[in-house]
Short mmCIF file of all heavy atoms in Angstrom, two decimals:
data_model
loop_
_atom_site.label_atom_id
_atom_site.label_comp_id
_atom_site.label_asym_id
_atom_site.label_seq_id
_atom_site.Cartn_x
_atom_site.Cartn_y
_atom_site.Cartn_z
N MET Q 1 97.92 128.63 14.95
CA MET Q 1 99.04 129.37 15.39
C MET Q 1 98.51 130.49 16.32
O MET Q 1 97.50 131.14 16.02
CB MET Q 1 99.77 129.95 14.21
CG MET Q 1 100.95 130.77 14.58
SD MET Q 1 101.96 130.75 13.14
CE MET Q 1 102.56 132.27 12.92
N HIS Q 2 99.23 130.76 17.41
CA HIS Q 2 98.81 131.75 18.39
C HIS Q 2 99.60 133.01 18.19
O HIS Q 2 100.82 132.99 18.12
CB HIS Q 2 99.00 131.19 19.80
CG HIS Q 2 98.70 132.17 20.89
ND1 HIS Q 2 97.41 132.53 21.12
CD2 HIS Q 2 99.46 132.87 21.70
CE1 HIS Q 2 97.42 133.40 22.10
NE2 HIS Q 2 98.66 133.56 22.51
N GLU Q 3 98.93 134.14 18.13
CA GLU Q 3 99.59 135.40 18.02
C GLU Q 3 99.34 136.24 19.27
O GLU Q 3 98.21 136.28 19.72
CB GLU Q 3 99.13 136.18 16.85
CG GLU Q 3 99.60 135.54 15.47
CD GLU Q 3 99.13 136.45 14.34
OE1 GLU Q 3 98.98 137.67 14.51
OE2 GLU Q 3 98.94 135.88 13.25
N ASP Q 4 100.36 136.81 19.82
CA ASP Q 4 100.19 137.68 20.97
C ASP Q 4 99.82 139.11 20.51
O ASP Q 4 100.23 139.57 19.48
CB ASP Q 4 101.51 137.84 21.78
CG ASP Q 4 101.87 136.54 22.48
OD1 ASP Q 4 100.91 135.75 22.85
OD2 ASP Q 4 103.04 136.26 22.67
N CYS Q 5 98.95 139.67 21.31
CA CYS Q 5 98.55 141.07 21.02
C CYS Q 5 99.72 141.97 21.29
O CYS Q 5 100.47 141.75 22.19
CB CYS Q 5 97.36 141.51 21.92
SG CYS Q 5 95.87 140.56 21.54
N PRO Q 6 99.86 143.06 20.52
CA PRO Q 6 100.99 143.94 20.79
C PRO Q 6 100.76 144.59 22.16
O PRO Q 6 99.67 144.84 22.58
CB PRO Q 6 100.94 144.96 19.66
CG PRO Q 6 99.53 144.85 19.09
CD PRO Q 6 99.08 143.45 19.36
N ALA Q 7 101.87 144.90 22.82
CA ALA Q 7 101.83 145.50 24.13
C ALA Q 7 101.27 146.92 24.03
O ALA Q 7 101.56 147.59 23.00
CB ALA Q 7 103.23 145.51 24.78
N PRO Q 8 100.43 147.37 24.96
CA PRO Q 8 99.95 148.76 24.84
C PRO Q 8 101.08 149.74 24.96
O PRO Q 8 102.12 149.48 25.63
CB PRO Q 8 99.02 148.86 26.06
CG PRO Q 8 99.41 147.79 26.97
CD PRO Q 8 99.99 146.67 26.12
N ALA Q 9 100.95 150.88 24.36
CA ALA Q 9 102.01 151.88 24.41
C ALA Q 9 102.13 152.40 25.80
O ALA Q 9 101.12 152.65 26.52
CB ALA Q 9 101.67 153.01 23.45
N ARG Q 10 103.33 152.63 26.23
CA ARG Q 10 103.57 153.12 27.62
C ARG Q 10 103.72 154.64 27.48
O ARG Q 10 104.40 155.13 26.63
CB ARG Q 10 104.78 152.53 28.19
CG ARG Q 10 104.64 151.09 28.51
CD ARG Q 10 105.85 150.57 29.24
NE ARG Q 10 105.66 149.13 29.53
CZ ARG Q 10 106.43 148.42 30.27
NH1 ARG Q 10 107.51 149.01 30.80
NH2 ARG Q 10 106.20 147.18 30.46
N THR Q 11 103.08 155.33 28.39
CA THR Q 11 103.22 156.76 28.40
C THR Q 11 103.77 157.20 29.72
O THR Q 11 103.54 156.53 30.74
CB THR Q 11 101.89 157.46 28.20
OG1 THR Q 11 100.95 157.05 29.22
CG2 THR Q 11 101.28 157.10 26.86
N THR Q 12 104.53 158.23 29.74
CA THR Q 12 105.10 158.70 31.00
C THR Q 12 104.23 159.92 31.39
O THR Q 12 103.86 160.74 30.55
CB THR Q 12 106.58 159.15 30.85
OG1 THR Q 12 106.65 160.07 29.82
CG2 THR Q 12 107.40 157.95 30.58
N PRO Q 13 103.89 160.06 32.68
CA PRO Q 13 103.15 161.18 33.09
C PRO Q 13 103.90 162.46 32.95
O PRO Q 13 105.12 162.51 33.08
CB PRO Q 13 102.84 160.92 34.59
CG PRO Q 13 103.86 159.95 34.99
CD PRO Q 13 104.28 159.16 33.80
N GLY Q 14 103.21 163.47 32.66
CA GLY Q 14 103.86 164.83 32.51
C GLY Q 14 104.29 165.35 33.84
O GLY Q 14 103.94 164.81 34.86
N PRO Q 15 104.97 166.46 33.82
CA PRO Q 15 105.38 167.06 35.13
C PRO Q 15 104.23 167.52 35.93
O PRO Q 15 103.22 167.98 35.41
CB PRO Q 15 106.26 168.23 34.63
CG PRO Q 15 105.86 168.52 33.27
CD PRO Q 15 105.37 167.24 32.69
N THR Q 16 104.32 167.35 37.23
CA THR Q 16 103.24 167.73 38.10
C THR Q 16 103.67 169.06 38.77
O THR Q 16 104.85 169.28 39.05
CB THR Q 16 102.94 166.74 39.23
OG1 THR Q 16 104.17 166.49 39.91
CG2 THR Q 16 102.46 165.41 38.56
N THR Q 17 102.66 169.91 39.01
CA THR Q 17 102.96 171.13 39.67
C THR Q 17 102.21 171.18 40.98
O THR Q 17 101.06 170.79 41.09
CB THR Q 17 102.55 172.37 38.79
OG1 THR Q 17 101.14 172.22 38.51
CG2 THR Q 17 103.32 172.40 37.51
N ALA Q 18 102.87 171.61 42.03
CA ALA Q 18 102.27 171.74 43.34
C ALA Q 18 101.65 173.09 43.46
O ALA Q 18 102.23 174.09 43.14
CB ALA Q 18 103.26 171.47 44.47
N SER Q 19 100.44 173.17 43.96
CA SER Q 19 99.79 174.46 44.17
C SER Q 19 100.35 175.09 45.45
O SER Q 19 100.82 174.37 46.35
CB SER Q 19 98.30 174.33 44.26
OG SER Q 19 97.94 173.60 45.39
N ALA Q 20 100.24 176.36 45.56
CA ALA Q 20 100.78 177.08 46.70
C ALA Q 20 99.99 176.80 48.00
O ALA Q 20 100.49 176.85 49.07
CB ALA Q 20 100.76 178.57 46.47
N SER Q 21 98.75 176.32 47.85
CA SER Q 21 97.92 176.05 49.05
C SER Q 21 98.03 174.61 49.50
O SER Q 21 97.44 174.27 50.52
CB SER Q 21 96.43 176.39 48.72
OG SER Q 21 96.00 175.59 47.68
N ALA Q 22 98.74 173.72 48.77
CA ALA Q 22 98.84 172.31 49.11
C ALA Q 22 99.81 172.18 50.27
O ALA Q 22 100.85 172.76 50.30
CB ALA Q 22 99.28 171.48 47.91
N PRO Q 23 99.46 171.36 51.28
CA PRO Q 23 100.38 171.11 52.41
C PRO Q 23 101.55 170.29 51.94
O PRO Q 23 101.45 169.55 50.98
CB PRO Q 23 99.51 170.35 53.41
CG PRO Q 23 98.45 169.70 52.62
CD PRO Q 23 98.20 170.63 51.44
N PRO Q 24 102.68 170.37 52.60
CA PRO Q 24 103.84 169.54 52.26
C PRO Q 24 103.50 168.06 52.42
O PRO Q 24 102.77 167.67 53.33
CB PRO Q 24 104.92 169.99 53.25
CG PRO Q 24 104.24 170.60 54.34
CD PRO Q 24 102.96 171.19 53.81
N THR Q 25 104.00 167.27 51.49
CA THR Q 25 103.66 165.81 51.51
C THR Q 25 104.74 164.97 52.15
O THR Q 25 104.50 163.79 52.33
CB THR Q 25 103.45 165.31 50.05
OG1 THR Q 25 104.64 165.58 49.34
CG2 THR Q 25 102.24 166.02 49.38
N GLY Q 26 105.84 165.54 52.53
CA GLY Q 26 106.91 164.80 53.15
C GLY Q 26 106.63 164.58 54.62
O GLY Q 26 105.71 165.13 55.23
N PRO Q 27 107.45 163.73 55.27
CA PRO Q 27 107.30 163.52 56.70
C PRO Q 27 107.62 164.74 57.46
O PRO Q 27 108.39 165.62 57.00
CB PRO Q 27 108.28 162.38 56.97
CG PRO Q 27 109.29 162.43 55.89
CD PRO Q 27 108.52 162.99 54.69
N PRO Q 28 107.12 164.88 58.70
CA PRO Q 28 107.47 166.01 59.58
C PRO Q 28 108.97 166.09 59.79
O PRO Q 28 109.65 165.06 59.74
CB PRO Q 28 106.75 165.76 60.84
CG PRO Q 28 105.71 164.72 60.57
CD PRO Q 28 106.22 163.94 59.31
N ALA Q 29 109.49 167.29 60.07
CA ALA Q 29 110.90 167.46 60.29
C ALA Q 29 111.37 166.55 61.46
O ALA Q 29 110.72 166.44 62.52
CB ALA Q 29 111.22 168.90 60.67
N GLY Q 30 112.46 165.86 61.31
CA GLY Q 30 113.01 165.00 62.31
C GLY Q 30 112.42 163.62 62.35
O GLY Q 30 112.75 162.82 63.22
N HIS Q 31 111.57 163.26 61.37
CA HIS Q 31 110.98 161.96 61.34
C HIS Q 31 111.42 161.20 60.07
O HIS Q 31 111.38 161.73 59.00
CB HIS Q 31 109.42 162.03 61.29
CG HIS Q 31 108.84 162.48 62.60
ND1 HIS Q 31 108.35 161.59 63.49
CD2 HIS Q 31 108.60 163.69 63.12
CE1 HIS Q 31 107.87 162.28 64.52
NE2 HIS Q 31 108.00 163.54 64.35
N SER Q 32 111.83 159.99 60.30
CA SER Q 32 112.18 159.08 59.21
C SER Q 32 111.93 157.69 59.71
O SER Q 32 112.64 157.18 60.54
CB SER Q 32 113.67 159.26 58.87
OG SER Q 32 113.99 158.36 57.83
N ALA Q 33 110.88 157.04 59.21
CA ALA Q 33 110.48 155.73 59.68
C ALA Q 33 111.01 154.63 58.80
O ALA Q 33 111.06 154.79 57.60
CB ALA Q 33 108.96 155.63 59.77
N THR Q 34 111.41 153.49 59.38
CA THR Q 34 111.89 152.35 58.70
C THR Q 34 111.23 151.12 59.34
O THR Q 34 110.66 151.22 60.42
CB THR Q 34 113.43 152.23 58.78
OG1 THR Q 34 113.80 152.10 60.17
CG2 THR Q 34 114.13 153.40 58.08
N THR Q 35 111.37 150.00 58.75
CA THR Q 35 110.92 148.74 59.33
C THR Q 35 112.14 147.85 59.65
O THR Q 35 113.14 147.93 58.91
CB THR Q 35 109.99 147.99 58.40
OG1 THR Q 35 110.62 147.73 57.14
CG2 THR Q 35 108.70 148.73 58.16
N THR Q 36 112.06 147.14 60.70
CA THR Q 36 113.14 146.27 61.20
C THR Q 36 112.58 144.92 61.43
O THR Q 36 111.50 144.78 61.98
CB THR Q 36 113.78 146.83 62.51
OG1 THR Q 36 114.11 148.19 62.29
CG2 THR Q 36 114.97 146.02 62.97
N GLU Q 37 113.33 143.85 61.02
CA GLU Q 37 112.86 142.50 61.27
C GLU Q 37 113.58 141.97 62.52
O GLU Q 37 114.76 142.14 62.72
CB GLU Q 37 113.15 141.63 60.06
CG GLU Q 37 112.27 142.00 58.90
CD GLU Q 37 112.35 141.04 57.78
OE1 GLU Q 37 112.78 139.92 57.98
OE2 GLU Q 37 111.94 141.41 56.68
N ARG Q 38 112.81 141.28 63.34
CA ARG Q 38 113.28 140.57 64.53
C ARG Q 38 112.71 139.22 64.52
O ARG Q 38 111.55 139.01 64.93
CB ARG Q 38 112.86 141.34 65.76
CG ARG Q 38 113.96 141.67 66.68
CD ARG Q 38 113.44 142.30 67.94
NE ARG Q 38 113.96 143.62 68.06
CZ ARG Q 38 113.54 144.50 68.94
NH1 ARG Q 38 112.58 144.20 69.78
NH2 ARG Q 38 114.09 145.72 68.95
N GLY Q 39 113.50 138.24 64.05
CA GLY Q 39 113.01 136.87 63.92
C GLY Q 39 111.88 136.84 62.91
O GLY Q 39 112.03 137.30 61.78
N SER Q 40 110.73 136.31 63.27
CA SER Q 40 109.58 136.26 62.31
C SER Q 40 108.69 137.50 62.45
O SER Q 40 107.61 137.50 61.86
CB SER Q 40 108.77 135.01 62.55
OG SER Q 40 108.28 134.98 63.88
N PHE Q 41 109.07 138.49 63.18
CA PHE Q 41 108.32 139.69 63.38
C PHE Q 41 108.94 140.88 62.73
O PHE Q 41 110.13 140.93 62.56
CB PHE Q 41 108.16 139.99 64.87
CG PHE Q 41 107.25 139.03 65.58
CD1 PHE Q 41 107.77 137.87 66.18
CD2 PHE Q 41 105.90 139.17 65.58
CE1 PHE Q 41 107.01 136.98 66.83
CE2 PHE Q 41 105.07 138.27 66.23
CZ PHE Q 41 105.65 137.16 66.87
N CYS Q 42 108.15 141.87 62.36
CA CYS Q 42 108.59 143.09 61.76
C CYS Q 42 108.00 144.25 62.52
O CYS Q 42 106.83 144.20 62.90
CB CYS Q 42 108.17 143.15 60.28
SG CYS Q 42 108.79 144.53 59.35
N LEU Q 43 108.81 145.30 62.76
CA LEU Q 43 108.27 146.44 63.51
C LEU Q 43 108.79 147.71 62.87
O LEU Q 43 109.78 147.71 62.20
CB LEU Q 43 108.60 146.42 64.96
CG LEU Q 43 110.07 146.36 65.37
CD1 LEU Q 43 110.35 147.50 66.35
CD2 LEU Q 43 110.35 145.03 65.99
N ALA Q 44 107.97 148.77 63.03
CA ALA Q 44 108.29 150.07 62.48
C ALA Q 44 109.00 150.87 63.53
O ALA Q 44 108.62 150.82 64.71
CB ALA Q 44 107.03 150.76 62.02
N ARG Q 45 110.03 151.65 63.14
CA ARG Q 45 110.76 152.52 64.05
C ARG Q 45 110.94 153.90 63.35
O ARG Q 45 111.01 153.95 62.19
CB ARG Q 45 112.12 151.95 64.36
CG ARG Q 45 112.12 150.74 65.20
CD ARG Q 45 113.48 150.31 65.57
NE ARG Q 45 113.34 149.30 66.60
CZ ARG Q 45 114.34 148.94 67.38
NH1 ARG Q 45 115.55 149.46 67.20
NH2 ARG Q 45 114.16 148.09 68.32
N CYS Q 46 110.99 154.91 64.19
CA CYS Q 46 111.19 156.28 63.72
C CYS Q 46 112.36 156.87 64.42
O CYS Q 46 112.68 156.54 65.55
CB CYS Q 46 109.91 157.07 63.98
SG CYS Q 46 110.04 158.75 63.30
N THR Q 47 112.99 157.82 63.73
CA THR Q 47 114.15 158.51 64.34
C THR Q 47 113.75 159.40 65.53
O THR Q 47 114.66 159.73 66.32
CB THR Q 47 114.85 159.43 63.32
OG1 THR Q 47 113.90 160.31 62.74
CG2 THR Q 47 115.46 158.61 62.18
N CYS Q 48 112.47 159.68 65.75
CA CYS Q 48 112.05 160.43 66.90
C CYS Q 48 111.96 159.59 68.15
O CYS Q 48 111.73 160.09 69.25
CB CYS Q 48 110.69 161.12 66.65
SG CYS Q 48 109.28 159.97 66.62
N GLY Q 49 112.16 158.26 68.05
CA GLY Q 49 112.06 157.36 69.20
C GLY Q 49 110.82 156.51 69.22
O GLY Q 49 110.76 155.55 70.00
N TRP Q 50 109.86 156.77 68.35
CA TRP Q 50 108.62 156.00 68.29
C TRP Q 50 108.91 154.60 67.74
O TRP Q 50 109.75 154.42 66.86
CB TRP Q 50 107.61 156.67 67.43
CG TRP Q 50 106.39 155.92 67.14
CD1 TRP Q 50 105.27 155.87 67.91
CD2 TRP Q 50 106.14 155.05 66.01
NE1 TRP Q 50 104.36 154.98 67.37
CE2 TRP Q 50 104.85 154.49 66.17
CE3 TRP Q 50 106.87 154.70 64.90
CZ2 TRP Q 50 104.30 153.65 65.25
CZ3 TRP Q 50 106.34 153.80 64.00
CH2 TRP Q 50 105.05 153.30 64.19
N THR Q 51 108.28 153.60 68.31
CA THR Q 51 108.40 152.20 67.85
C THR Q 51 107.01 151.63 67.76
O THR Q 51 106.27 151.68 68.74
CB THR Q 51 109.25 151.34 68.75
OG1 THR Q 51 110.55 151.95 68.88
CG2 THR Q 51 109.38 149.91 68.25
N GLY Q 52 106.66 151.05 66.65
CA GLY Q 52 105.35 150.41 66.50
C GLY Q 52 105.32 149.01 67.08
O GLY Q 52 106.41 148.48 67.47
N PRO Q 53 104.16 148.41 67.13
CA PRO Q 53 104.08 147.06 67.68
C PRO Q 53 104.69 146.02 66.72
O PRO Q 53 104.76 146.30 65.48
CB PRO Q 53 102.57 146.81 67.83
CG PRO Q 53 101.97 147.78 66.85
CD PRO Q 53 102.86 148.93 66.77
N ALA Q 54 105.21 144.93 67.23
CA ALA Q 54 105.74 143.88 66.39
C ALA Q 54 104.61 143.21 65.63
O ALA Q 54 103.54 142.89 66.20
CB ALA Q 54 106.44 142.83 67.27
N ARG Q 55 104.79 143.04 64.37
CA ARG Q 55 103.78 142.47 63.48
C ARG Q 55 104.37 141.25 62.70
O ARG Q 55 105.53 141.31 62.35
CB ARG Q 55 103.29 143.45 62.47
CG ARG Q 55 102.85 144.80 63.05
CD ARG Q 55 101.44 144.69 63.45
NE ARG Q 55 100.90 146.01 63.78
CZ ARG Q 55 99.68 146.19 64.22
NH1 ARG Q 55 98.86 145.23 64.35
NH2 ARG Q 55 99.31 147.42 64.52
N ARG Q 56 103.58 140.29 62.41
CA ARG Q 56 104.01 139.21 61.51
C ARG Q 56 103.87 139.71 60.03
O ARG Q 56 104.59 139.16 59.18
CB ARG Q 56 103.21 137.95 61.70
CG ARG Q 56 103.54 137.30 63.01
CD ARG Q 56 102.99 135.85 63.03
NE ARG Q 56 103.28 135.22 64.26
CZ ARG Q 56 104.34 134.42 64.44
NH1 ARG Q 56 105.17 134.20 63.44
NH2 ARG Q 56 104.56 133.87 65.62
N SER Q 57 103.04 140.67 59.78
CA SER Q 57 102.88 141.17 58.45
C SER Q 57 103.77 142.40 58.23
O SER Q 57 103.65 143.42 58.91
CB SER Q 57 101.37 141.64 58.26
OG SER Q 57 101.21 142.34 57.10
N ARG Q 58 104.66 142.28 57.25
CA ARG Q 58 105.56 143.41 56.90
C ARG Q 58 104.75 144.58 56.38
O ARG Q 58 105.00 145.69 56.65
CB ARG Q 58 106.59 142.94 55.86
CG ARG Q 58 107.62 142.04 56.34
CD ARG Q 58 108.64 141.73 55.24
NE ARG Q 58 109.56 140.75 55.70
CZ ARG Q 58 109.47 139.43 55.42
NH1 ARG Q 58 108.43 138.98 54.73
NH2 ARG Q 58 110.36 138.59 55.92
N ASP Q 59 103.70 144.21 55.61
CA ASP Q 59 102.85 145.27 55.04
C ASP Q 59 102.18 146.08 56.20
O ASP Q 59 102.09 147.32 56.10
CB ASP Q 59 101.79 144.66 54.14
CG ASP Q 59 100.98 145.66 53.43
OD1 ASP Q 59 101.58 146.64 52.87
OD2 ASP Q 59 99.73 145.55 53.33
N ARG Q 60 101.68 145.41 57.22
CA ARG Q 60 101.05 146.10 58.34
C ARG Q 60 102.08 147.00 59.11
O ARG Q 60 101.75 148.11 59.52
CB ARG Q 60 100.36 145.07 59.30
CG ARG Q 60 99.62 145.74 60.43
CD ARG Q 60 98.49 146.66 59.93
NE ARG Q 60 97.91 147.34 61.05
CZ ARG Q 60 97.52 148.60 61.04
NH1 ARG Q 60 97.62 149.31 60.00
NH2 ARG Q 60 97.02 149.11 62.15
N ALA Q 61 103.32 146.50 59.22
CA ALA Q 61 104.35 147.31 59.90
C ALA Q 61 104.65 148.56 59.06
O ALA Q 61 104.84 149.65 59.59
CB ALA Q 61 105.62 146.48 60.04
N ARG Q 62 104.66 148.43 57.70
CA ARG Q 62 104.83 149.64 56.85
C ARG Q 62 103.66 150.59 56.99
O ARG Q 62 103.87 151.77 56.99
CB ARG Q 62 105.04 149.18 55.38
CG ARG Q 62 106.42 148.62 55.13
CD ARG Q 62 106.62 148.42 53.65
NE ARG Q 62 105.74 147.39 53.07
CZ ARG Q 62 106.11 146.15 52.92
NH1 ARG Q 62 107.27 145.69 53.28
NH2 ARG Q 62 105.22 145.29 52.36
N THR Q 63 102.46 150.02 57.12
CA THR Q 63 101.30 150.89 57.31
C THR Q 63 101.36 151.61 58.69
O THR Q 63 101.04 152.81 58.77
CB THR Q 63 99.99 150.01 57.29
OG1 THR Q 63 99.95 149.36 56.02
CG2 THR Q 63 98.73 150.90 57.47
N ASP Q 64 101.84 150.93 59.73
CA ASP Q 64 102.08 151.60 60.99
C ASP Q 64 103.02 152.78 60.85
O ASP Q 64 102.76 153.84 61.40
CB ASP Q 64 102.66 150.61 62.06
CG ASP Q 64 101.65 149.55 62.48
OD1 ASP Q 64 100.40 149.74 62.31
OD2 ASP Q 64 102.10 148.53 62.99
N ALA Q 65 104.10 152.59 60.13
CA ALA Q 65 105.08 153.65 59.92
C ALA Q 65 104.47 154.79 59.18
O ALA Q 65 104.65 155.96 59.51
CB ALA Q 65 106.27 153.13 59.15
N ALA Q 66 103.68 154.50 58.10
CA ALA Q 66 103.07 155.58 57.33
C ALA Q 66 102.05 156.33 58.17
O ALA Q 66 101.98 157.59 58.05
CB ALA Q 66 102.35 154.94 56.11
N GLU Q 67 101.30 155.67 58.98
CA GLU Q 67 100.33 156.32 59.88
C GLU Q 67 101.03 157.24 60.86
O GLU Q 67 100.59 158.31 61.15
CB GLU Q 67 99.46 155.29 60.59
CG GLU Q 67 98.46 154.62 59.69
CD GLU Q 67 97.67 153.51 60.38
OE1 GLU Q 67 98.02 153.15 61.58
OE2 GLU Q 67 96.81 152.92 59.77
N HIS Q 68 102.18 156.72 61.39
CA HIS Q 68 102.95 157.59 62.32
C HIS Q 68 103.45 158.87 61.63
O HIS Q 68 103.41 159.94 62.23
CB HIS Q 68 104.12 156.80 62.88
CG HIS Q 68 105.09 157.68 63.62
ND1 HIS Q 68 104.76 158.23 64.87
CD2 HIS Q 68 106.35 158.10 63.36
CE1 HIS Q 68 105.79 158.97 65.30
NE2 HIS Q 68 106.78 158.90 64.43
N LEU Q 69 103.93 158.72 60.43
CA LEU Q 69 104.45 159.89 59.70
C LEU Q 69 103.33 160.84 59.31
O LEU Q 69 103.58 162.07 59.20
CB LEU Q 69 105.21 159.45 58.43
CG LEU Q 69 106.56 158.67 58.70
CD1 LEU Q 69 107.12 158.25 57.34
CD2 LEU Q 69 107.51 159.58 59.43
N ALA Q 70 102.10 160.34 59.16
CA ALA Q 70 101.01 161.20 58.73
C ALA Q 70 100.44 162.02 59.89
O ALA Q 70 99.82 163.03 59.68
CB ALA Q 70 99.92 160.34 58.13
N THR Q 71 100.72 161.55 61.13
CA THR Q 71 100.15 162.32 62.31
C THR Q 71 101.13 163.44 62.65
O THR Q 71 102.36 163.25 62.62
CB THR Q 71 99.97 161.37 63.53
OG1 THR Q 71 101.24 160.82 63.86
CG2 THR Q 71 98.96 160.30 63.25
N PRO Q 72 100.61 164.61 63.00
CA PRO Q 72 101.48 165.74 63.29
C PRO Q 72 102.14 165.61 64.66
O PRO Q 72 101.86 164.95 65.49
CB PRO Q 72 100.56 166.91 63.33
CG PRO Q 72 99.19 166.44 63.19
CD PRO Q 72 99.21 164.96 62.93
#
């Protein structure tokens, strides 16, 4: 007879506190990037007018958007 091991206990992380010297982690003001599909391609777009290259990889298009948001 096969017995399953009990599932490990799940813990929730405690509240995090931001230090006063930490830079803001959100996107710059006026920027909000999304991905859009066009046929078999996916591309990243931002509300500031920036558009990333068309990619077959959705993951790479999301990375393009994240890199755009990270640049000042």
Side-chain angles (χ1 to χ4, degrees):
M1 181 157 137
H2 177 71
E3 290 184 28
D4 291 330
C5 295
R10 292 185 180 188
T11 60
T12 56
T16 58
T17 57
S19 66
S21 62
T25 58
H31 288 264
S32 178
T34 59
T35 56
T36 306
E37 292 191 17
R38 231 186 244 171
S40 60
F41 291 91
C42 186
L43 58 128
R45 290 186 167 195
C46 183
T47 55
C48 73
W50 172 86
T51 302
R55 308 275 190 182
R56 287 194 181 265
S57 168
R58 288 182 186 97
D59 188 45
R60 183 61 185 139
R62 285 189 293 267
T63 302
D64 290 340
E67 288 174 355
H68 170 70
L69 293 176
T71 58

